[in-house]
């Protein structure tokens, strides 16, 4: 069965990035595998340095004397960075080229992990912001890089990208505490250890700079201007809404499910493992969803199925959290993995070229991650107000209905378009 043809491909405008792309798909050989390895390692670094904080928050709070609001701020800061800095990333990519911009992103991740080694709170929060800035650049530019270099393998490559995101998050969530116990390292040193992944990514990505084409003055000037009218297009908002709602559900659930399961009678260790187990299942969901959406099933149907899986997991947690936690986490993990990979795929599919991918990615992630940053706080507030998890989980179920609705709208095979300039 052949893959679907993206509508409008025959008449799309060619951006400067598309005018001289390195079409690895046709060149084959070592260049393809080096690029794929670079993408995988870059994606692998977009979560661990931040996710590793969550399992260490009890130790950080106790040893650093941080209050609960300060801990909440520490874990929410990265999401705010993702959202607030997303609009800057396309301009950086256009001015410097994607290869150099992504190299800078990894340098920021390494620098942030080193800053957090310093024994003061300013360094802890400041280093987290630096890491968040680097990851924000990678979040926005990597889908565009995949669109540019693998235009006929977008589905499988976005599956690999999303799968790697979940693998990095699962590794950090599941291995940070065991590795700390085995090594005897303090929490600052343990957090810094995850920077070694970024150093490896830098080493593998450096050769890509040799294929970086020089950015013309025309391109640099154009970089200062966003795609006209993008924020007024319904299709762009459908993509952004799906991105935001699935992100909110994911981060809200990630923040509070261990607490919910512990309150239901599970030990702290088992409750933490359930979150890692869910992330591991998310790896499978994140790979399968874009492949199915491109070759086997309508993308809107895949979006609905992934949302229904999430809803089934939450209903299970609502009805009997300690009754079958592995089943609830399996359903939730598969659904969340599928939803995040579809959100990334829609960004690439709904854009006609690399420039539009970067701008749509910027818009969707700006809106999505700012919305997601509100999720953990909102769920915690509802729990404190009601004294139970029933109302917070019902609120998540209501949001999942909206997520399925916008997933269907975002799946329609059409492109966002740049508005024509108004003539005087």
């Amino acid at each position: 069965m052949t893959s679907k043809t993206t509508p409008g491909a025959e008449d799309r405008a060619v951006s400067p990035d598309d005018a001289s792309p390195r079409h690895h798909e046709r060149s084959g050989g070592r260049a393809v595998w080096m690029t794929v390895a670079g993408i995988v390692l870059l994606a692998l670094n977009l979560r661990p340095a931040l996710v590793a904080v969550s399992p260490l928050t009890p130790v950080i709070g106790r040893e650093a004397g941080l209050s609960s609001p300060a801990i909440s701020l520490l874990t929410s800061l990265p999401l705010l960075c993702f959202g607030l800095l997303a609009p800057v990333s396309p301009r950086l990519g256009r001015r410097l080229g994607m290869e150099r911009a992504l190299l800078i992103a990894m340098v920021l991740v390494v620098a942030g992990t080193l800053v957090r080694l310093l024994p003061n709170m300013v360094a802890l929060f400041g280093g987290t912001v630096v890491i968040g800035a680097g990851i924000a650049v990678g979040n926005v530019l990597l889908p565009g890089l995949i669109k540019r270099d693998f235009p006929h393998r977008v589905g499988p490559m976005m599956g690999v990208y999303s799968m790697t995101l979940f693998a990095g998050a699962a590794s950090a969530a599941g291995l940070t505490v065991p590795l700390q116990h085995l090594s005897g390292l303090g929490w600052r040193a343990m957090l810094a250890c995850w920077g070694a992944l970024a150093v490896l990514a830098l080493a593998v990505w450096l050769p890509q700079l040799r294929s970086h084409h020089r950015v013309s003055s025309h391109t640099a000037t154009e970089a200062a201007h966003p795609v006209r009218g993008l924020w007024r297009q319904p299709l762009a908002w459908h993509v952004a809404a799906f991105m935001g709602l699935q992100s909110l559900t994911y981060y809200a659930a990630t923040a509070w499910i261990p607490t919910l399961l512990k309150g239901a009678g599970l030990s702290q260790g088992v409750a933490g493992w359930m979150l890692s187990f869910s992330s591991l299942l998310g790896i499978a969901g994140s790979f399968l969803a874009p492949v199915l959406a491109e070759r086997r099933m309508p993308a809107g149907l895949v979006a609905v199925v992934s949302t229904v899986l999430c809803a089934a997991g939450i209903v299970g947690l609502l009805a009997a959290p300690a009754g079958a936690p592995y089943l609830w986490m399996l359903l939730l993990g598969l659904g969340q993995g599928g939803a995040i990979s579809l959100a990334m795929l829609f960004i690439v599919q709904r854009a006609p070229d690399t420039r539009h991918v970067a701008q749509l990615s910027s818009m969707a992630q700006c809106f999505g991650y700012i919305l997601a940053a509100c999720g953990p706080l909102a769920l915690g507030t509802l729990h404190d107000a009601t004294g139970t998890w029933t109302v917070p989980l019902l609120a998540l179920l209501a949001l999942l209905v909206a997520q399925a609705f916008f997933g269907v709208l975002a799946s329609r095979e059409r492109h966002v378009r740049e508005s024509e300039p108004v003539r005087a």
Side-chain angles (χ1 to χ4, degrees), residues 239-278:
V239 173
F242 183 75
M243 177 72 187
L245 289 167
Q246 67 81 25
S247 296
L248 186 153
T249 302
Y250 172 78
Y251 286 106
T254 298
W256 291 110
I257 278 178
T259 303
L260 182 155
L261 292 175
K262 188 172 183 295
L266 276 65
S267 68
Q268 184 172 354
V270 173
W273 160 245
M274 286 295 110
L275 188 60
S276 298
F277 176 73
S278 175

Side-chain angles (χ1 to χ4, degrees), residues 54-113:
S54 294
L56 293 175
T57 50
V59 180
I60 294 172
R62 183 174 64 253
E63 296 187 4
L66 294 181
S67 63
S68 295
I71 290 290
S72 297
L73 177 61
L74 182 64
T75 55
S76 297
L77 265 178
L79 296 178
L80 292 173
C81 289
F82 294 171
L84 296 175
L85 298 178
V88 180
S89 301
R91 183 178 300 185
L92 182 66
R94 300 281 296 173
R95 284 190 179 277
L96 302 180
M98 287 193 186
E99 291 82 6
R100 288 181 182 172
L102 288 167
L103 185 76
I104 290 172
M106 286 301 101
V107 169
L108 289 173
V109 172
V110 173
T113 57

Side-chain angles (χ1 to χ4, degrees), residues 206-221:
L206 272 172
Q208 299 293 327
L209 298 187
R210 292 200 297 267
S211 57
H212 164 77
H213 60 277
R214 189 176 184 84
V215 181
S216 66
S217 59
H218 169 75
T219 300
T221 301

Side-chain angles (χ1 to χ4, degrees), residues 293-308:
E294 280 236 314
R295 297 180 180 274
R296 300 288 180 183
M297 296 169 61
L301 179 58
V302 180
V304 171
V305 169
S306 67
T307 305
V308 169

Side-chain angles (χ1 to χ4, degrees), residues 134-202:
I135 293 175
V137 174
N139 282 341
V140 171
L141 295 186
L142 270 174
L145 185 82
I146 291 171
K147 174 83 168 183
R148 187 194 72 184
D149 289 352
F150 300 92
H152 303 298
R153 293 186 176 89
V154 167
M157 284 302 299
M158 288 305 295
V160 170
Y161 169 68
S162 302
M163 181 176 66
T164 308
L165 282 180
F166 263 88
S171 299
L175 296 177
T176 297
V177 172
L179 287 176
Q180 186 196 24
H181 291 164
L182 285 173
S183 63
L185 295 173
W187 62 267
R188 295 182 190 276
M190 190 62 240
L191 288 178
C193 285
W194 289 105
L197 275 178
V199 174
L200 178 59
L202 279 172

Side-chain angles (χ1 to χ4, degrees), residues 120-137:
N120 60 74
M121 290 302 100
V122 174
L124 175 62
F125 284 86
T128 299
V129 169
V130 172
I131 293 170
I135 293 175
V137 174

